[in-house]
Amino acid sequence: MKTQKGNLRICHKGHKYYKSSNCPTCPTCEQESKPDNGFLLMLSAPARRALENNGITSLQQLSKFSEKEILQFHGMGPASLPKLRTALQANGLAFKN
């Protein structure tokens, strides 16, 4: 029999899940909010949430920020920058200088 690791939690939508860390993110809600396409799809969940929590859901919005500003967002790490640069360049855009 498999034992659950962590504490049982229930999110605001009523999903039950176990977490051993203090992370409040519900895995079911996270899967439901994952985009089907676009540049956000190629990012890790923390990086995607970092952009979404700062109102960035399009490349046009992203291009209004510098790389330094993006790295200040909680959950955004340097590994995401090459992916973002590539997406911007593919659409004729770039980070703000």
Side-chain angles (χ1 to χ4, degrees):
M1 188 163 123
K2 185 178 177 183
T3 59
Q4 297 292 338
K5 292 185 179 181
N7 299 314
L8 175 63
R9 298 185 189 185
I10 302 173
C11 76
H12 67 283
K13 290 185 177 180
H15 302 129
K16 294 180 181 178
Y17 61 99
Y18 288 87
K19 282 277 180 127
S20 59
S21 69
N22 289 331
C23 177
T25 304
C26 167
T28 304
C29 289
E30 186 62 36
Q31 190 62 36
E32 289 174 354
S33 70
K34 188 173 183 177
D36 293 331
N37 56 40
F39 79 103
L40 292 174
L41 179 62
M42 63 185 172
L43 298 175
S44 67
R48 186 178 70 249
R49 284 192 305 268
L51 293 178
E52 291 172 339
N53 290 340
N54 284 280
I56 301 171
T57 57
S58 73
L59 290 170
Q60 291 75 20
Q61 292 167 324
L62 179 63
S63 69
K64 295 177 182 176
F65 292 84
S66 70
E67 290 184 18
K68 187 175 181 179
E69 290 170 323
I70 294 296
L71 285 173
Q72 297 302 310
F73 297 160
H74 177 76
M76 182 61 67
S80 297
L81 288 181
K83 296 174 186 177
L84 295 175
R85 257 187 246 114
T86 300
L88 286 167
Q89 290 171 351
N91 289 274
L93 299 169
F95 282 110
K96 179 180 87 172
N97 288 328

